[in-house]
Amino acid sequence: MDCVALCRLDELGEGQSRGFDPQGRGADSLFALRHQGRVRVYRNLCPHLSVPLEYRKDRFLSADGQWVICYAHGARFRPEDGACVHGPCRGDVLPALQHREADGWLLLPLAQLDA
């Protein structure tokens, strides 16, 4: 399975997030976060109005690292499953992407980029 390397796993600390533009389109189309020791990857797309979540580069999480925040609408999502628990899209879920961790790298299968 062909994959693109997003970052080294040690570059994504607990309670941190990072955006990525694997297709070189000039904006982060997905982001990764580490929460309770697990890495998760989501599309950078609020289900409410299909806008990016972050208000500046790599700022997808609340200050305490406990929530994914849509800074356009104030929606709050659980980092562990992307479910919206507060805001205009309550009950919706962030689109999650499958990923792999190998040799210290966070990898994303290429087939998901255009899906």
Side-chain angles (χ1 to χ4, degrees), residues 6 13 16 22 32 35 43 51 55 60 66 69 72-73 85-86 95 103 108-110 112:
L6 298 178
Q16 293 182 334
H35 178 75
R43 291 205 185 277
V51 297
Y55 74 93
F60 297 92
Q66 297 303 302
I69 302 291
H73 312 105
V85 296
H86 175 79
D103 298 323
L108 185 77
L110 290 174
Q112 293 185 95

Side-chain angles (χ1 to χ4, degrees), residues 11 26 33 48 50 52-53 61 71 74 86 102:
E11 296 173 341
L33 61 86
H48 178 222
S50 298
L53 296 160
L61 296 174
Y71 288 94
H86 175 79

Side-chain angles (χ1 to χ4, degrees), residues 41-79:
V41 180
Y42 295 105
R43 291 205 185 277
N44 182 13
L45 198 63
C46 180
H48 178 222
L49 289 177
S50 298
V51 297
L53 296 160
E54 81 279 23
Y55 74 93
R56 73 173 195 238
K57 179 72 174 142
D58 299 332
R59 291 304 303 250
F60 297 92
L61 296 174
S62 58
D64 63 5
Q66 297 303 302
W67 302 100
V68 176
I69 302 291
C70 175
Y71 288 94
H73 312 105
R76 187 181 310 159
F77 303 85
R78 291 189 305 235

Side-chain angles (χ1 to χ4, degrees), residues 11 38 43 84 91 99 102:
E11 296 173 341
R38 294 196 55 212
R43 291 205 185 277
C84 182
H99 66 279

